[in-house]
């Protein structure tokens, strides 16, 4: 049996479509565990109604503790041999469980592709490798962004650890690294996009407290990933992929600054200056395979300490993003 754990919090509008996609699974031997994480809206009632109508649906009500806490509660209640995590604002293809199970075989983990829904776009992402061959495969999947989340994977429950409830960044990756350390049967790669990840473009950003913590958390994740790779490969990463992921976390934050209305321009410039001067980022930047042109341009300015130019570029990019989003929204409305 596959236990599907769904953390639920403030997802009234998407909960039914999410659960409907799970109820339509072609694999019949499943249980759906809805973990109401103290949601203040109608989600607790909706969860109970879903459970009343479907014996495969079970509900756990708990005080709010965050998504990691909710997933841990779901793992505790699970009875299946396998675990699947699905967020309540996402949905999945009907064949997802069946396909992951079929490919799993004697492996200990199965990974599939996904659809990334963002700014009116549906970007299909599929792993570019067909077979897991250890350290090289890890680097490729990590660099392509398939190891940072739990929801595109099928786990064996007996090997699963716990999500770190004290972190606000990177806890999913750390869970996956911990899991991979427990495996011996390899990883199965499913070259199909079976999960639909919905990224809301609300313009909201991290709180100031979270932003202050973000660099230290990002560096911790970078250190853990580097250590894991060294254990796997027997040497440090020479490709620049792991360093690039650290810089991408920072550059994503820099590019989001124009959307952060809780800080003054002076405070934003101070944040950029701190990034420019950080010795760990400087060291990582000497060998970082940054994939996107906007990342490379902004980081080149950061290397020179040009904080004003970095912020101006981020503002320009933000304007372009908003124009692009408005145009796509208009096109979508016109089609309707």
């Amino acid at each position: 049996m596959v236990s599907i754990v769904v953390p639920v919090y403030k997802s009234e509008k998407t909960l039914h479509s999410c659960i409907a996609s799970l109820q339509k699974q072609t694999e019949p031997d499943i249980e759906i565990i809805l973990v109401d994480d103290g949601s203040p809206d109608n989600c607790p009632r909706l969860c109970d109604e879903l459970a009343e109508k479907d014996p495969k649906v079970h509900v756990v009500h708990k005080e709010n503790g965050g998504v990691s806490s909710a997933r841990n509660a779901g793992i505790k209640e699970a009875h299946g041999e396998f675990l699947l995590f699905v967020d309540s604002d996402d949905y999945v293809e009907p064949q997802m469980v069946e396909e992951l199970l079929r490919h799993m075989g004697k492996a200990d983990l199965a990974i599939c592709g996904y659809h990334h829904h963002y700014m009116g776009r549906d970007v299909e992402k599929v792993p570019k490798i067909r077979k897991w061959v250890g350290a090289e495969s890890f680097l490729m999947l990590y660099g392509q962004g398939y190891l940072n989340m739990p929801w595109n994977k099928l786990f064996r429950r007996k090997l699963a650890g716990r999500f770190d409830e004290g972190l606000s960044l990177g806890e999913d990756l750390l869970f996956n690294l911990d899991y991979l350390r427990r495996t011996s049967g390899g990883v199965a790669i499913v070259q199909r996009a079976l999960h639909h990840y919905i990224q809301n473009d609300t313009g909201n950003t991290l709180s100031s407290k979270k932003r202050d913590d973000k660099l230290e958390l990002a560096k911790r994740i970078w250190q853990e990933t580097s250590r894991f790779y060294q254990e796997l490969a027997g040497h440090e990463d020479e490709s620049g992929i792991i360093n690039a992921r650290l810089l991408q976390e920072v550059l994503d934050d820099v590019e989001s600054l124009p959307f952060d209305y809780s800080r003054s321009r002076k405070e934003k410039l101070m944040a950029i200056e701190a990034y420019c001067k950080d010795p760990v980022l400087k060291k990582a930047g000497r060998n970082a395979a940054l994939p996107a042109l906007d990342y490379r341009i902004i980081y080149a300015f950061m290397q020179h300490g040009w904080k004003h130019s970095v912020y101006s570029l981020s503002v320009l990019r933000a304007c372009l993003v908003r124009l692009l989003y408005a145009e796509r929204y208009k096109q979508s409305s016109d089609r309707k």
Side-chain angles (χ1 to χ4, degrees):
M1 182 168 70
V2 176
S3 298
I4 305 174
V5 177
V6 185
V8 178
Y9 187 77
K10 290 186 178 181
S11 53
E12 287 178 306
K13 296 180 179 179
T14 59
L15 183 60
H16 277 291
S17 61
C18 172
I19 304 310
S21 74
L22 300 178
Q23 291 171 321
K24 293 175 183 176
Q25 289 301 299
T26 55
E27 168 56 49
D29 194 13
I30 65 172
E31 65 173 355
I32 303 169
I33 303 172
L34 305 183
V35 183
D36 161 36
D37 190 35
S39 188
D41 55 9
N42 289 319
C43 282
R45 177 179 59 81
L46 295 176
C47 288
D48 289 337
E49 289 176 354
L50 287 164
E52 288 174 6
K53 296 176 182 178
D54 187 345
K56 291 184 178 180
V57 177
H58 312 287
V59 182
V60 176
H61 295 289
K62 61 182 288 295
E63 292 184 0
N64 178 251
V67 65
S68 292
S69 173
R71 287 177 179 147
N72 286 336
I75 294 172
K76 186 177 179 180
E77 293 295 320
H79 297 92
E81 180 184 356
F82 302 97
L83 282 172
L84 182 73
F85 298 98
V86 178
D87 290 345
S88 57
D89 49 357
D90 296 343
Y91 64 96
V92 303
E93 291 291 316
Q95 304 85 10
M96 182 171 184
V97 174
E98 182 181 3
E99 283 286 300
L100 289 172
L101 276 174
R102 184 170 66 83
H103 282 81
M104 178 74 99
K106 294 182 179 180
D108 287 327
L109 180 69
I111 299 176
C112 69
Y114 61 96
H115 293 263
H116 185 184
H117 298 271
Y118 177 58
M119 290 177 56
R121 301 175 65 196
D122 175 1
V123 180
E124 187 172 326
K125 299 186 176 183
V126 178
K128 295 179 182 178
I129 63 172
R130 294 179 178 273
K131 188 177 180 181
W132 175 269
V133 290
E136 181 183 348
S137 300
F138 170 81
L139 267 187
M140 292 186 69
L141 289 172
Y142 181 70
Q144 294 166 21
Y146 291 100
L147 296 178
N148 295 313
M149 68 288 278
W151 41 252
N152 65 330
K153 300 170 181 68
L154 187 68
F155 302 87
R156 292 191 184 274
R157 183 168 63 90
K158 67 180 181 181
L159 298 176
R162 288 176 57 83
F163 291 88
D164 189 330
E165 298 177 19
L167 295 179
S168 60
L169 174 73
E171 65 275 20
D172 296 343
L173 176 61
L174 292 183
F175 176 87
N176 291 335
L177 294 182
D178 176 64
Y179 184 88
L180 285 170
R181 283 191 173 99
R182 301 165 186 256
T183 64
S184 58
V187 179
I189 311 297
V190 183
Q191 291 187 306
R192 289 189 61 189
L194 300 171
H195 187 104
H196 290 261
Y197 166 54
I198 314 298
Q199 182 178 354
N200 293 320
D201 183 42
T202 60
N204 295 327
T205 61
L206 295 169
S207 67
S208 295
K209 182 178 184 301
K210 265 194 176 181
R211 189 181 300 282
D212 290 339
D213 292 344
K214 187 168 185 178
L215 178 56
E216 293 309 312
L217 289 173
K219 288 193 287 191
R220 176 184 168 182
I221 302 306
W222 168 72
Q223 289 168 345
E224 290 292 330
T225 308
S226 298
R227 185 163 65 90
F228 177 85
Y229 177 78
Q230 192 160 4
E231 292 171 4
L232 196 62
H235 58 80
E236 293 183 357
D237 171 35
E238 299 172 352
S239 69
I241 290 174
I242 295 177
N243 286 347
R245 294 296 300 185
L246 170 62
L247 294 184
Q248 282 175 242
E249 288 288 346
V250 169
L251 291 167
D252 284 342
D253 194 48
V254 169
E255 290 183 342
S256 73
L257 282 172
F259 298 102
D260 184 358
Y261 304 112
S262 67
R263 287 189 171 191
S264 66
R265 185 175 186 276
K266 181 179 179 180
E267 289 172 323
K268 294 174 185 180
L269 289 172
M270 288 174 61
I272 293 173
E273 185 175 24
Y275 285 146
C276 293
K277 293 182 176 180
D278 188 88
V280 173
L281 295 181
K282 285 184 177 182
K283 182 179 178 181
R286 296 177 193 139
N287 177 27
L290 288 170
L293 180 60
D294 60 330
Y295 285 146
R296 295 197 296 270
I297 293 174
I298 291 177
Y299 185 65
F301 281 34
M302 287 178 65
Q303 286 178 304
H304 289 87
W306 298 341
K307 60 183 180 182
H308 293 279
S309 298
V310 169
Y311 185 66
S312 297
L313 282 173
S314 298
V315 170
L316 175 61
R317 182 185 179 279
C319 292
L320 292 174
V321 166
R322 287 193 180 278
L323 286 172
L324 182 62
Y325 179 75
E327 179 61 25
R328 284 181 177 149
Y329 181 80
K330 180 178 182 299
Q331 292 175 358
S332 177
S333 300
D334 291 343
R335 284 196 295 269
K336 294 177 181 179

